[in-house]
Amino acid sequence: MTTSTHSVRDTKLTSPDLRRLIGSECASLSGSAVSTVAIPTLAVLEQQASTTQIAALACLGQLPNAVVALPAGAFSDRYAKRPQMIAADLTAAGALATIPAAAFAGALGLGQLYAVIVVLGVARIVHDGAAISYLPVLLEPQLLQRANSRLGAASSVADSAGSNAGAALVGAFGAARSILADVLSYLVSALLVWRIRTPEPVAALPQDRRSLARDIGEGLRYVVGQPTIRTTIAALSTLSFGLAIMNTYWAYYLLADLRVSPTAFSVIMGVGGAGSLAGALLAPRIVSRIGIGPTIIIGFVVSPLAQVPLLLAGPGLPWQLALAGTLAVQLCWATASGTSQRSLRQVLCEPRFQGRMQAASTTVTAGARPFAAAVAGALVLLLGVRGTLAVGAVLQVVPVLLLLASPVRTLRDMPAPPACTAVPPARGGTP
């Protein structure tokens, strides 16, 4: 009986529908990596954008995380997720296709790039929110850790390959034409999602025509009422805020203060990417060896510790090797921890709240990054670059304390999915 059960589970992990979902994510991610290179190149080299306009382009790309995630999560829980993923991919492909068309006609401007960036951000939020909450539809809770590990590994390879391809395509065909590769990637993603055949249970809509705002409020109350989910999201958002402060000046610090050459910088990034891939592949083994809770917590502990060599570093090859090694270790544990805490949240969350739970995480984690960049800009005037990096590193200790004081600390095995629970009523009425 045990052998039969394991055989069925292994079959599900290699099912065509799971391969299509992972293939869809990798296709869109690799294409997006091309646009990440091509669109700023268009803005700087062909539109002669100023530093302020480049900052506006970056800000607009992050804005949907703060504005759109919660409504998108509520919408995802109301309706079938596959059509949402397909519609988002087709919308992104259509928006991107306007760039080479306008460039060919000689009508491309910064305003259009701004608009495309916003549309892409909204489409990405809709697609990602539906895709992450769709994974539990395809698999049993016990398989989510291994599936997220495979998804993380494939995504790491796709992102790295897309970045390298983006640079090569821009150099060979120009920035505008290279964007056609991203258009194609979104079309491939939509096709793969369309071919998924696993039926999706959709919650029946309430009899009254309730608003999205009411659904959003219900979802937020649910997340706040779940101690483990609430704590992991709070820890993740705090870590993300500290990292975002550091990332604002991380590249500048290495290139200007530590005098790392562009080639050495690329090597450091490549070694870090290899660490991320290793973390995704090793996550299931790490969890089986030390438990789900310790895997999550160690990933958070390693992050501030990995910043110590960065803050002590000086120019020279030995320090560059040390930075590459610590970045690889940091990203290895960050990826193992990330896939583990995502799987834990997916298992603990009721199906009817999956989209809103993921949206809450996106809003507080990614939505705070523009604010973190502004904080970094203010801190650098007072403390300098190294001092600003130190503040970001110290902030990364806070999520460790949150997790050590939470139920995550005692978790060894993945918990059983919960029974449906009541949601605390909104003030002034019932949901």
Side-chain angles (χ1 to χ4, degrees):
M1 178 66 77
T2 303
T3 303
S4 176
T5 302
H6 283 295
S7 177
V8 171
R9 290 180 178 178
D10 290 341
T11 300
K12 288 187 176 181
L13 281 171
T14 58
S15 69
D17 281 352
L18 180 59
R19 291 201 301 267
R20 287 165 186 150
L21 181 64
I22 293 177
S24 166
E25 296 302 293
C26 292
S28 60
L29 185 60
S30 60
S32 296
V34 174
S35 289
T36 300
V37 175
I39 291 179
T41 301
L42 275 172
V44 173
L45 298 184
E46 299 190 20
Q47 300 299 316
Q48 288 77 49
S50 66
T51 54
T52 301
Q53 290 169 327
I54 291 297
L57 191 67
C59 181
L60 288 172
Q62 292 290 334
L63 189 61
N65 291 315
V67 177
V68 180
L70 288 177
F75 195 84
S76 172
D77 284 337
R78 275 192 178 192
Y79 304 105
K81 296 173 177 59
R82 280 181 58 246
Q84 295 178 52
M85 289 187 276
I86 295 171
D89 285 339
L90 295 179
T91 299
L96 282 166
T98 67
I99 293 179
F104 180 77
L108 182 63
L110 270 176
Q112 181 177 347
L113 293 182
Y114 289 155
V116 170
I117 281 291
V118 171
V119 172
L120 285 179
V122 173
R124 186 189 69 251
I125 291 296
V126 172
H127 176 101
D128 290 352
I132 293 174
S133 56
Y134 187 69
L135 189 60
V137 174
L138 297 178
L139 296 170
E140 299 171 356
Q142 298 87 344
L143 300 178
L144 288 174
Q145 172 70 52
R146 292 171 65 185
N148 276 314
S149 174
R150 293 184 182 185
L151 181 59
S155 297
S156 177
V157 173
D159 186 45
S160 177
S163 298
N164 293 331
L169 288 171
V170 168
F173 303 105
R177 291 179 180 176
S178 67
I179 288 176
L180 291 172
D182 199 5
V183 174
L184 178 61
S185 76
Y186 278 110
L187 295 177
V188 171
S189 175
L191 176 62
L192 290 172
V193 174
W194 175 74
R195 293 188 62 197
I196 293 176
R197 293 294 178 260
T198 301
E200 176 186 355
V202 180
L205 291 176
Q207 296 299 318
D208 57 329
R209 295 180 61 84
R210 55 195 296 174
S211 66
L212 276 179
R214 196 171 179 181
D215 282 352
I216 291 170
E218 184 184 52
L220 291 175
R221 291 194 301 277
Y222 174 81
V223 169
V224 171
Q226 306 300 312
T228 302
I229 295 176
R230 178 184 67 223
T231 303
T232 53
I233 291 178
L236 188 63
S237 63
T238 309
L239 176 68
S240 178
F241 191 85
L243 286 172
I245 288 177
M246 297 192 70
N247 288 341
T248 303
Y249 293 106
W250 186 78
Y252 174 87
Y253 178 68
L254 264 66
L255 294 170
D257 290 7
L258 301 185
R259 297 193 291 277
V260 174
S261 69
T263 300
F265 183 80
S266 298
V267 171
I268 291 173
M269 294 293 292
V271 173
S276 178
L277 176 59
L281 293 173
L282 294 174
R285 294 185 182 181
I286 295 173
V287 170
S288 65
R289 179 68 63 87
I290 66 175
I292 184 76
T295 300
I296 293 172
I297 292 175
I298 290 175
F300 280 81
V301 170
V302 167
S303 188
L305 293 178
Q307 312 310 328
V308 174
L310 178 70
L311 297 173
L312 297 177
L317 179 60
W319 279 114
Q320 293 173 16
L321 295 174
L323 293 178
T326 54
L327 181 62
V329 172
Q330 177 191 354
L331 293 183
C332 176
W333 275 103
T335 304
S337 174
T339 60
S340 299
Q341 61 85 16
R342 180 184 299 159
S343 302
L344 178 64
R345 288 190 285 114
Q346 288 172 331
V347 168
L348 290 178
C349 184
E350 296 177 28
R352 61 193 176 113
F353 290 109
Q354 285 283 346
R356 283 168 284 181
M357 182 272 291
Q358 299 294 346
S361 177
T362 298
T363 299
V364 297
T365 302
R369 289 171 188 165
F371 177 63
V375 170
L379 287 174
V380 78
L381 298 176
L382 298 173
L383 306 175
V385 173
R386 195 184 294 259
T388 300
L389 295 176
V391 171
V394 171
L395 283 176
Q396 294 173 49
V397 177
V398 176
V400 177
L401 302 178
L402 291 175
L403 290 171
L404 288 175
S406 76
V408 176
R409 177 175 55 85
T410 60
L411 283 177
R412 292 299 180 270
D413 299 321
M414 188 71 76
C420 292
T421 58
V423 180
R427 292 183 179 179
T430 57

